[in-house]
Amino acid sequence: MDLIPAPRIAVPHEDGHHHAFGADPALDAGPGTEDTARWLRRELGAATGWSLPDAAPGEPGELRLRIDPVRVGGSGPEAYRIDIGADGAELTGASGAGLFWAAQTLRQLLGPDAYRRAPLPGRTWSVPYAAVADGPRFGWRGMMLDVARHFMPKDGVLRYIDLLAAHKLNVLHLHLTDDQGWRVEIKRHPRLTGVGAWRARSRWGHRASPLWNETPHGGFYTQDDIREIVAYAAERHVRVVPEIDVPGHSQAAIAAYPELGNTDVVDTAALEVWDDWGITANVLAPTEAVLRFYEGVFEELLELFPAEVSPFVHVGGDECPKEQWRASATAQARIAELGADGEDGLQSWFIRHFDGWLAERGRRLIGWDEILEGGLAPGAAVSSWRGYAGGIAAAEAGHDVVMCPEQQAYLDHRQAGGPDEPVPIGYVRSLEDVYRFEPVPPKLSPEAAAHVLGAQANVWTEVMEHQGRVDYQVFPRLAAFAEVVWSWQPAPEERDFAGFEERMATHYRRLDALGVGYRPPGGPLPWQRRPGVLGRPIEGEPPNV
């Protein structure tokens, strides 16, 4: 059974028998299973031609759905079991989420053609007699998608939610704002999208490249688009974590509303949405007016991302240059007024303000590990990106952590060292490297390790100008990452990568059926290359920091 991610227990029947489904199997959907039943009829129905009619009263259906945490056992709310025999398949979840993951496993067992959108002529469907018992290692199994540098239209985001769900990943972190674009409609501040969602051109390649794409770039999600994305994700048991970056990475917002910037230092009215990559010096001014402006932004954001599906709100907090604050009389007066520890203390004040503001509204703040600098509010969580060190420090101090170290979990980094690798960024992070990523550093105490909520793979899109480029960078490595965060694995050096590769032979066919433009094992196809477009490759092994 070539399942990815690998289940905790999967025992095929020793005689090798299969259950062959009839032309239109009856579905017996028990109480509370309606959402998964609807998904099966829609997704499996498209691929198989099944309508999955309701089983007749008192008659067992060939496909049975149940929610029964006692039967599943004590492996957490996302656990499930599958029992397949002569009478068909019974899927049991400890909760609705567990049942949904069971349905994803059933789809894999049916074969790659179960991922198509229409049935192939003459195709029949069977699954092996087996017992599967499974549940995830981590509760946070995510991917960060940067839609600010290159905008991904709504349909592409919905497609990625389906791809996450197919791999039993349950968090989509949407990086909605940056220097290069603002991607969410805020009705009280219409210029954020009227101006901030569009840039005149884009650097073609790494920021060292002399090439430019002169086509204006932009786009944004309306508030109804966001509601649709959130609801679509919730149906698939995927939480959406919105990110509004403060106080750095804010030039698009300042271009739209110049008063947000440090007007006593720079002519903010002359700023435009940034067309380059990297870190700009233009950051938010540390004023009460700026706080009120962003409170208004977050008020609208919280309405779009309900607490029951999006308990965390990401505020960025990374890569905030302090030059303008050092030169600003307004900023220096604020430091003196607060008694803050210099500019780092000012950034901490900014983050602490929104931590308290969000907490009062029943949400939890999460930010990149720079929010540790200058002190961190007790309830805040940390996305540890610069390495393990920030996550270790945060966990030892009692803060929850999501591990996403750049050296191990950035999927914009190149996948191989060959000359054909398109726009090569960073260290080589091969499929095997990702498979051997370990989210919990061994040096953590057991008490601190309990604060590691899980991990996420980050996808920064400076050099990913469209969906095909995103697919190439993300897959197949996201499949390896999914197994890391779902499956209970031995130590990295003891993991069976050869066995994973064997299972990937089938999984590539699933990705083919889904239309995913992944990097083939033998290297990029001709149309996936970007000859002459500069990247930023770094040689050697990445530091384990």
Side-chain angles (χ1 to χ4, degrees):
M1 294 189 290
D2 296 327
L3 299 175
I4 290 178
R8 187 165 50 87
I9 299 171
V11 183
H13 199 280
E14 59 186 17
D15 60 16
H17 286 171
H18 281 62
H19 175 80
F21 285 102
D24 198 5
L27 178 64
D28 177 2
T33 69
E34 295 82 7
D35 288 350
T36 297
R38 187 164 49 248
W39 182 88
L40 285 167
R41 287 182 167 120
R42 183 175 58 243
E43 300 297 330
L44 275 190
T48 61
W50 296 342
S51 65
L52 294 174
D54 288 334
E59 294 291 327
E62 270 192 277
L63 190 54
R64 301 177 296 282
L65 308 180
R66 301 288 185 267
I67 293 178
D68 186 346
V70 175
R71 175 168 169 73
V72 171
S75 298
E78 294 184 273
Y80 69 88
R81 64 175 293 144
I82 299 176
D83 297 282
I84 303 169
D87 59 350
E90 182 162 306
L91 282 58
T92 308
S95 66
L99 182 65
F100 183 72
W101 304 134
Q104 294 289 353
T105 298
L106 176 71
R107 192 184 194 187
Q108 290 198 12
L109 290 171
L110 284 165
D113 288 340
Y115 290 82
R116 298 189 181 277
R117 295 185 181 180
L120 300 182
R123 182 74 164 82
T124 59
W125 303 95
S126 66
V127 287
Y129 287 9
V132 179
D134 200 9
R137 180 184 176 192
F138 293 108
W140 187 300
R141 308 180 303 279
M143 187 184 89
M144 190 286 304
L145 181 61
D146 169 18
V147 296
R149 272 52 175 268
H150 278 104
F151 178 65
M152 181 176 284
K154 180 194 69 179
D155 285 353
V157 175
L158 299 179
R159 172 179 178 264
Y160 258 86
I161 290 168
D162 279 327
L163 290 172
L164 294 182
H167 292 82
K168 300 186 176 73
L169 298 172
N170 68 344
V171 176
L172 174 63
H173 169 177
L174 275 181
H175 184 76
L176 290 166
T177 72
D178 216 296
D179 302 305
Q180 296 85 2
W182 185 285
R183 305 296 180 213
V184 56
E185 178 188 28
I186 302 297
K187 291 185 181 296
R188 73 187 72 184
H189 302 306
R191 287 175 59 85
L192 286 173
T193 48
V195 173
W198 311 95
R199 61 177 183 264
R201 63 177 187 170
S202 304
R203 178 79 71 176
W204 183 222
H206 183 256
R207 60 182 177 270
S209 169
L211 305 176
W212 292 89
N213 180 344
E214 298 290 346
T215 303
H217 180 82
F220 65 92
Y221 309 110
T222 68
Q223 294 201 349
D224 282 343
D225 289 339
I226 292 292
R227 292 185 181 98
E228 179 184 357
I229 288 168
V230 170
Y232 191 89
E235 287 180 350
R236 289 150 181 82
H237 299 276
V238 174
R239 302 197 307 271
V240 184
V241 176
E243 180 182 355
I244 301 293
D245 217 332
V246 296
H249 286 293
S250 298
Q251 186 164 322
I254 297 168
Y257 292 94
E259 65 271 21
L260 298 175
N262 294 283
T263 55
D264 59 345
V265 176
V266 67
D267 180 10
T268 56
L271 293 177
E272 297 179 342
V273 178
W274 208 26
D275 58 11
D276 210 347
W277 317 129
I279 305 171
T280 174
N282 295 299
V283 302
L284 298 176
T287 67
E288 292 296 324
V290 169
L291 294 183
R292 299 294 88 74
F293 182 98
Y294 273 86
E295 286 172 358
V297 168
F298 283 116
E299 281 177 4
E300 293 193 26
L301 199 76
L302 296 190
E303 191 275 326
L304 300 175
F305 294 87
E308 58 270 21
V309 293
S310 298
F312 285 90
V313 175
H314 207 292
V315 299
D318 64 319
E319 296 178 330
C320 179
K322 309 298 194 300
E323 290 86 354
Q324 290 185 1
W325 287 352
R326 281 190 280 271
S328 166
T330 299
Q332 293 303 310
R334 176 49 59 99
I335 289 171
E337 174 192 341
L338 296 170
D341 184 13
E343 289 76 24
D344 283 347
L346 198 56
Q347 180 171 348
S348 178
W349 163 80
F350 214 110
I351 299 301
R352 281 175 174 267
H353 172 83
F354 285 105
D355 180 73
W357 189 92
L358 289 166
E360 288 173 1
R361 290 155 180 82
R363 305 301 179 95
R364 291 190 63 190
L365 177 145
I366 186 168
W368 304 111
D369 54 62
E370 284 96 329
I371 69 174
L372 289 164
E373 297 166 6
L376 185 59
V382 170
S383 301
S384 187
W385 77 271
R386 289 182 293 181
Y388 287 106
I392 292 170
E396 294 286 6
H399 296 285
D400 287 341
V401 174
V402 175
M403 286 293 189
C404 47
E406 176 184 12
Q407 302 82 358
Q408 284 79 29
Y410 271 34
L411 299 186
D412 48 309
H413 284 203
R414 58 192 175 134
Q415 303 184 61
D420 291 332
E421 207 62 32
V423 201
I425 301 295
Y427 295 100
V428 171
R429 291 289 84 192
S430 68
L431 184 66
E432 182 172 1
D433 291 329
V434 174
Y435 190 69
R436 299 192 189 280
F437 165 53
E438 173 49 49
V440 180
K443 67 174 65 174
L444 276 183
S445 67
E447 295 78 16
H451 284 288
V452 178
L453 301 177
Q456 68 184 32
N458 289 345
V459 183
W460 300 103
T461 61
E462 288 94 334
V463 297
M464 301 180 214
E465 71 276 10
H466 55 60
Q467 179 177 283
R469 282 286 296 123
V470 176
D471 278 5
Y472 178 91
Q473 292 298 135
V474 169
F475 289 99
R477 292 182 295 180
L478 193 70
F481 178 83
E483 186 146 308
V484 166
V485 291
W486 176 278
S487 304
W488 295 82
Q489 294 270 29
E493 64 278 4
E494 298 172 6
R495 294 176 188 172
D496 181 11
F497 179 68
F500 175 76
E501 281 191 304
E502 289 179 7
R503 286 181 284 124
M504 277 301 299
T506 299
H507 200 65
Y508 285 121
R509 293 171 55 210
R510 297 181 189 121
L511 297 177
D512 287 333
L514 286 165
V516 175
Y518 59 85
R519 181 190 189 275
L525 298 169
W527 56 87
Q528 293 174 321
R529 299 167 187 163
R530 294 292 185 274
V533 183
L534 286 181
R536 184 183 59 90
I538 304 174
E539 302 303 331
E541 285 293 313
N544 190 14
V545 294

